[in-house]
Amino acid sequence: MSRSLMIAAAQMGPILRTESRTAVVRRMILLMEKAAARGAELVVFPELALTSFFPRWYLEDQDEIDTFFESRMPSEETLPLFDAAARLGLSFSFGYAEKIRARDGKTRRFNTSVVVSAEGEILLKYRKIHLPGHREAEDWRPFQHLEKRYFEVGNLGFPVTDALGGRIGMCICNDRRWPETFRILGLQKAELVLTGYNTPVHYPPAPAHDHLQDFHNHLSMQAGAYQNGTWVVGVAKAGREEGCDLIGGSCIIAPTGEIAAQCVTLGDEVIVAECDLDRCREIQDNIFNFAEHRQPDQYGLLVETTP
Ligand code: CDV
């Protein structure tokens, strides 16, 4: 059986705060159809794909905040995505703001991504662990980044699942900058890591690095791919969204760290690459054969980080 998977990265352009879920889902279905026409078997959408990136606003009214969250998946508004995937015979992955009622009766909110099969089964769920930004309004910023206010740290670890002929894991946006994200997935022999992102060009705490945003994006994902011998699919919400410029550069990266396909716009755009999952062996069995060459017992890792 072939272990080649045709994967599409479905980059999305800006989503207005007033844009309805129905309108966004329509855009996503159009992208799915374009991907299917190019032979895609898996379509990957960005982080928080269903709405504008709302952590850029300081909101106090919980009812208003909850308008950005999904308490069911699929919901009436997102069901057409699942129907389109069934009609087109493809799997898909996307990010959304998830609100749940936990077993203890408490309401909890996460920045979540799922992989869904063509049959509508949720094959894998991940909740973002590295939440960037701050909790309270910081008026000196031109826009806020309040993920720490609106979401809890993910409580599912970095799970992988055997699906679509390979071993799949996920991370979300800021997670991709942390080597341990990819290494934890790599230690589980992930062959495909999906990640969506909303990355502003302007980083208010260190604006001198603004010109490096695209570089750091690719640097992190290409290093993660190579050092763990896995395919990586990184998908942006891009362009000027509600006055905030978001980087694009969505791409599909081979286990060698090479970019196999890359978006060239800042709008809705589909790229496709044939990903041979057996190519992970080129790296995982050789230069990064963990069982043969990794020496965790020699690292002296019991060094405390200073606060
Ligand atoms: N959505 C994000 O996680 N964005 C961060 C920005 C704030 C640095 C990122 O790592 O791209």
Side-chain angles (χ1 to χ4, degrees), residues 47 53 128 132 145 147 173-174 176-177 198-200 203:
E47 173 191 36
F53 188 77
K128 185 173 182 178
H145 198 106
E147 285 195 61
C173 196
N174 193 261
R176 74 198 188 289
R177 300 183 192 272
N198 283 260
T199 298
Y203 183 61

Side-chain angles (χ1 to χ4, degrees), residues 1-306:
M1 183 183 147
S2 162
R3 296 230 306 140
S4 246
L5 192 61
M6 286 293 276
I7 303 181
Q11 178 175 283
M12 296 179 72
I15 299 176
L16 290 176
R17 188 167 174 172
T18 52
E19 203 165 329
S20 68
R21 295 280 199 293
T22 307
V24 175
V25 164
R26 213 178 292 132
R27 277 169 62 182
M28 293 170 77
I29 291 173
L30 206 63
L31 290 166
M32 266 186 184
E33 288 171 345
K34 283 187 179 166
R38 293 172 64 184
E41 299 165 276
L42 169 65
V43 182
V44 185
F45 291 101
E47 173 191 36
L48 298 176
L50 301 172
T51 65
S52 201
F53 188 77
F54 65 92
R56 77 167 61 88
W57 294 294
Y58 179 75
L59 304 171
E60 290 181 294
D61 176 357
Q62 194 59 58
D63 289 341
E64 186 182 9
I65 295 166
D66 281 341
T67 62
F68 293 99
F69 281 78
E70 315 298 317
S71 40
R72 269 181 312 132
M73 191 52 68
S75 60
E76 203 176 309
E77 288 155 315
T78 51
L79 188 60
L81 275 178
F82 288 62
D83 290 343
R87 168 170 57 85
L88 299 166
L90 46 76
S91 305
F92 65 108
S93 168
F94 67 105
Y96 64 98
E98 180 190 26
K99 176 179 153 184
I100 59 161
R101 177 63 60 91
R103 272 197 216 105
D104 60 7
K106 288 199 180 122
T107 300
R108 306 181 70 177
R109 295 173 183 81
F110 299 98
N111 185 341
T112 297
S113 282
V114 285
V115 179
V116 184
S117 72
E119 291 74 36
E121 185 192 350
I122 294 185
L123 300 171
L124 183 64
K125 178 179 278 191
Y126 168 69
R127 293 174 175 150
K128 185 173 182 178
I129 289 177
H130 299 95
L131 297 173
H134 46 110
R135 269 183 198 83
E136 298 303 329
E138 294 186 2
D139 291 340
W140 60 271
R141 293 173 183 258
F143 52 87
Q144 305 293 300
H145 198 106
L146 289 154
E147 285 195 61
K148 285 190 188 339
R149 177 179 185 80
Y150 298 133
F151 303 115
E152 277 183 52
V153 171
N155 60 354
L156 301 176
F158 286 103
V160 297
T161 190
D162 290 322
L164 311 179
R167 181 162 288 194
I168 306 177
M170 286 189 283
C171 64
I172 301 178
C173 196
N174 193 261
D175 287 321
R176 74 198 188 289
R177 300 183 192 272
W178 301 83
E180 51 266 51
T181 295
F182 284 104
R183 182 47 49 94
I184 291 165
L185 291 165
L187 287 168
Q188 298 173 84
K189 299 208 174 299
E191 296 173 313
L192 176 59
V193 177
L194 314 177
T195 184
Y197 54 92
N198 283 260
T199 298
V201 173
H202 179 48
Y203 183 61
H209 294 173
D210 287 359
H211 68 291
L212 299 173
Q213 290 299 344
D214 288 305
F215 168 60
H216 287 159
N217 176 40
H218 285 164
L219 177 71
S220 304
M221 296 194 295
Q222 289 180 263
Y226 170 57
Q227 291 170 345
N228 298 282
T230 180
W231 287 88
V232 172
V233 183
V235 188
K237 171 113 76 53
R240 175 159 290 195
E241 188 178 81
E242 298 287 1
C244 178
D245 285 314
L246 300 170
I247 66 166
S250 303
C251 58
I252 300 173
I253 303 165
T256 51
E258 295 163 287
I259 293 180
Q262 185 178 329
C263 282
V264 292
T265 72
L266 292 175
D268 287 9
E269 180 181 348
V270 172
I271 51 167
V272 176
E274 183 171 356
C275 303
D276 178 356
L277 301 178
D278 282 331
R279 289 204 60 201
C280 298
R281 302 265 67 78
E282 292 171 23
I283 301 295
Q284 291 184 6
D285 288 353
N286 296 305
I287 186 83
F288 289 117
N289 181 329
F290 293 161
E292 285 288 321
H293 310 306
R294 195 168 165 270
Q295 302 293 341
D297 49 335
Q298 299 299 316
Y299 293 164
L301 274 180
L302 296 174
V303 178
E304 295 291 328
T305 48
T306 45

